[in-house]
Amino acid sequence: MARTKRQAPRGTPAKTCAQLLVLLGCLLGSTAPTAAQEPYDILITGGRLLDGTGNPWYYADVAIKGDLIVAVGDLGDVQARQIIDATGLYVAPGFIDVHTHAGGGLAKPELSEGRPLLAQGITTIVANPDGGGPVDLAAQRVALLEHGLGVNVALLVPHGSVREQVLGMEDRAPTPAELEQMRALVRTGMEQGAYGLSSGLYYAPGSYAATEEVIELAKVVAEYGGVYTSHIRDEADYNIGVVAAVDEVIRISREAGLPGIVTHIKALGPRVWGYSMALVQRIERAREEGIEVYADQYPYMASGTSVTGALVPRWAQVGGREELIRRINDPRERARLRADMLENLDRRGGAARLQFRRYAPDPSIEGRTLEEVAEARGLDPIDLAMELLEHGRPRLVSFNMNEADVETLMCQPWAMTASDGDLVPMNEGVPHPRSYGTFPRKIRLYARDKGVIDLSTAVRSMTSLPANVFGLSGRGVLGSGAIADIVVFDLDRLQDLATYERPHQLAQGIAHVLVNGRFAIEEGEITGRLHGRVLSRRAN
Ligand SMILES: [Zn+2]
């Protein structure tokens, strides 16, 4: 168990090293204050250090002053204002979530603390994934900082939003002038400190973009040293197929000259189960050719999406929501839409594999499957889906992955961890449990219990690897001079508690979290103090 001893110099009443140094300084006639005179702010002692690089754990103390780690090693009897006894605990860099939808929630005063994130050991998130989120990153920065932040936030320029701002929901290529406008918006975002470009080429309006358009925009990002991260055009066999969609990321990475990331990599649906090895081979071959490609992943069998995302074909979304509803009610177009939705339902493995999440117009469906609700109401599943679409935007979890693929992808040295979670008020709706459990679950289930990866590799996938890929300089490792984002956890107690049925449960087993050298969790309690920052690539 973690114990905090305040104001307690460690060791015996005999003179400490620091005191002896001061004494030595006096003897030598020096009166100038030395760094050794000042005690450290925080000393974490006796823990098993996972330094984030993938090294196996080793015993080391960690000394913190201000927002920096100033010493790591056997620090003996040094002075510190506060000593954390981490005996029996693991000490690691704070976890980095490279794909999350929490950015919106963090800008709200009631959620800015990011409790579900801190309780997982997350200290930094990357916002605006899937090509979505605000185009005006300066305004987003102001909104995020207005009420304070529990965690650090790095921003991405969202391709879909940029496209929508210039072209609306039109399914066509941009004119040269429009492409120039889009390039200018991306450039502004990078100037405002973004770490890269996100796309959602599966979703409208990103799906209306040709590869060449994305390459042109990614070239602007490359000038700034940013990355390209993509919810790929197809994770199943909806259009070009999952293998070709990974190839598209590789091509963009090669032709634009920047790191490419296949975000929340998966083989979606029974028709492509087993394809994980083909994806691994594509990425490995690209890397052998010198193209810097990575992936990130969440450790669950279900993805989170919407009825629109899972079932509605993109042609039916051209023109936006009003047009979709008109098509649902037009008998001729409805027949075509119905046939395509039925095909998409089969891709997802059937109506029993789709479970409703938040749906404000009719919360009674939340937590039930499309099959259950359709049967209870005597409706065909597709007719029910269309009816729900007319009244709102039903969210889903889609049980579409298999364990072997998830484990194959997790083991790759270029695979990071990401939640793809959301940040919503406790007890509002039924979000995907990944919002509360991703990081402890990966360590607990896949490293500790199943041994699919070892502990230091799991921690590396959520610390130094994402820090390197995204250029989050000074973070992701425990070493002298690094920024003091630190998590101290009890491996025996570490566990995700969120389930698909009862997702609103904080993870357990995180003893301490430091964000920029200050306590966000102390002795298992969230402190409520807001020490996060909006990070800027430009400042690095
Ligand atoms: Zn996505």
Side-chain angles (χ1 to χ4, degrees):
M1 287 298 96
R3 295 181 299 278
T4 308
K5 296 180 242 157
R6 287 171 190 280
Q7 307 289 336
R10 188 162 167 256
T12 65
K15 291 206 164 35
T16 65
C17 291
Q19 288 168 323
L20 286 171
L21 274 175
V22 172
L23 197 63
L24 192 64
C26 293
L27 288 172
L28 293 172
S30 162
T31 53
T34 64
Q37 276 177 275
E38 298 171 32
Y40 297 124
D41 292 333
I42 299 167
L43 183 66
I44 302 170
T45 67
R48 298 178 180 192
L49 199 83
L50 286 158
D51 64 16
T53 65
N55 283 333
W57 68 262
Y58 52 97
Y59 286 114
D61 308 322
V62 181
I64 295 136
K65 195 156 180 58
D67 62 357
L68 295 178
I69 296 170
V70 289
V72 174
D74 183 355
L75 300 180
D77 295 332
V78 298
Q79 299 266 0
R81 294 182 211 286
Q82 185 171 357
I83 294 181
I84 300 291
D85 180 358
T87 305
L89 305 177
Y90 287 85
V91 183
F95 302 151
I96 299 168
D97 190 347
V98 295
H99 181 134
T100 167
H101 299 267
L106 285 170
K108 297 176 183 168
E110 68 275 20
L111 298 173
S112 59
E113 199 179 351
R115 295 174 71 86
L117 311 178
L118 292 171
Q120 294 181 67
I122 295 167
T123 55
T124 298
I125 69 148
V126 179
N128 304 341
D130 295 333
V135 174
D136 185 347
L137 301 188
Q140 185 179 21
R141 179 180 297 264
V142 170
L144 281 164
L145 290 173
E146 189 177 353
H147 311 286
L149 275 176
V151 297
N152 300 310
V153 181
L155 302 176
L156 296 168
V157 181
H159 163 256
S161 304
V162 166
R163 188 176 220 279
E164 190 171 355
Q165 183 159 320
V166 176
L167 284 162
M169 292 294 281
E170 291 185 39
D171 182 5
R172 65 174 175 83
T175 64
E178 285 166 340
L179 183 61
E180 203 40 57
Q181 254 181 290
M182 291 167 74
R183 286 168 54 91
L185 288 172
V186 172
R187 185 174 297 282
T188 301
M190 295 308 294
E191 289 284 345
Q192 289 166 341
Y195 284 76
L197 179 73
S198 79
S199 77
L201 302 187
Y202 173 68
Y203 296 108
S207 60
Y208 305 141
T211 311
E212 290 75 13
E213 170 186 319
V214 184
I215 290 170
E216 285 311 305
L217 301 180
K219 282 179 179 169
V220 177
V221 176
E223 289 175 34
Y224 291 84
V227 301
Y228 171 67
T229 175
S230 182
H231 180 139
I232 58 178
R233 206 176 284 276
D234 195 351
E235 295 179 317
D237 68 334
Y238 277 91
N239 45 73
I240 60 174
V242 61
V243 176
V246 167
D247 281 343
E248 187 180 24
V249 174
I250 294 168
R251 183 185 159 199
I252 291 164
S253 178
R254 178 198 292 121
E255 293 189 21
L258 81 181
I261 301 158
V262 179
T263 198
H264 51 51
I265 192 167
K266 63 173 79 70
L268 189 160
R271 294 185 190 181
V272 295
W273 282 352
Y275 277 43
S276 55
M277 269 320 294
L279 307 186
V280 168
Q281 284 163 0
R282 294 293 168 133
I283 293 174
E284 286 289 334
R285 199 194 308 156
R287 293 188 65 84
E288 280 164 24
E289 290 170 13
I291 303 158
E292 205 180 325
V293 187
Y294 302 92
D296 64 63
Q297 180 199 40
Y298 49 82
Y300 290 89
M301 296 306 116
S303 68
T305 184
S306 60
V307 168
T308 307
L311 300 181
V312 177
R314 297 300 166 260
W315 64 261
Q317 291 169 255
V318 175
R321 186 173 160 74
E322 275 175 32
E323 277 297 291
L324 171 63
I325 292 168
R326 186 192 62 72
R327 290 180 178 112
I328 288 174
N329 290 302
D330 176 307
R332 263 220 331 260
E333 296 210 57
R334 184 185 177 93
R336 181 181 166 207
L337 180 58
R338 194 171 204 299
D340 282 359
M341 287 177 71
L342 204 56
E343 181 76 4
N344 290 344
L345 184 60
D346 186 65
R347 290 189 167 99
R348 295 270 165 173
R353 288 181 168 273
L354 299 179
Q355 189 185 50
F356 290 112
R357 303 283 99 179
R358 199 167 352 128
Y359 186 62
D362 181 5
S364 75
I365 69 167
E366 292 174 2
R368 299 163 73 196
T369 66
L370 175 59
E371 184 178 77
E372 286 167 357
V373 178
E375 264 175 26
R377 297 185 182 180
L379 284 172
D380 173 89
I382 298 298
D383 289 329
L384 171 63
M386 287 188 187
E387 191 183 308
L388 297 173
L389 280 170
E390 283 192 73
H391 298 107
R393 300 165 193 270
R395 300 283 309 167
L396 290 172
V397 290
S398 165
F399 291 86
N400 58 45
M401 282 167 262
N402 84 4
E403 186 72 37
D405 285 321
V406 168
E407 293 181 5
T408 296
L409 295 166
M410 187 181 290
C411 289
Q412 305 309 318
W414 35 258
M416 301 177 278
T417 308
S419 72
D420 198 5
D422 214 336
L423 180 60
V424 297
M426 289 293 273
N427 303 319
E428 183 183 291
V430 273
H432 193 299
R434 64 192 178 188
S435 302
Y436 287 87
T438 293
F439 290 76
R441 177 182 173 86
K442 183 162 174 177
I443 292 173
R444 167 80 180 194
L445 184 60
Y446 290 95
R448 184 182 186 269
D449 292 353
K450 288 184 155 192
V452 171
I453 45 173
D454 65 50
L455 179 60
S456 60
T457 304
V459 167
R460 173 184 162 276
S461 78
M462 47 187 80
T463 56
S464 73
L465 179 62
N468 277 346
V469 172
F470 281 82
L472 299 161
S473 60
R475 299 179 199 271
V477 288
L478 295 183
S480 186
I483 297 164
D485 288 346
I486 299 175
V487 56
V488 181
F489 63 89
D490 181 343
L491 187 58
D492 292 331
R493 288 191 60 242
L494 190 69
Q495 187 156 19
D496 57 307
L497 298 178
T499 63
Y500 292 100
E501 288 68 36
R502 297 188 59 227
H504 290 289
Q505 301 188 74
L506 297 178
Q508 68 172 31
I510 303 290
H512 305 280
V513 174
L514 295 179
V515 175
N516 298 310
R518 309 284 185 85
F519 282 97
I521 293 183
E522 188 172 1
E523 298 205 62
E525 299 292 330
I526 295 172
T527 63
R529 284 174 249 138
L530 304 171
H531 302 301
R533 301 169 183 165
V534 179
L535 308 178
S536 176
R537 170 110 200 164
R538 297 284 285 161
N540 290 336

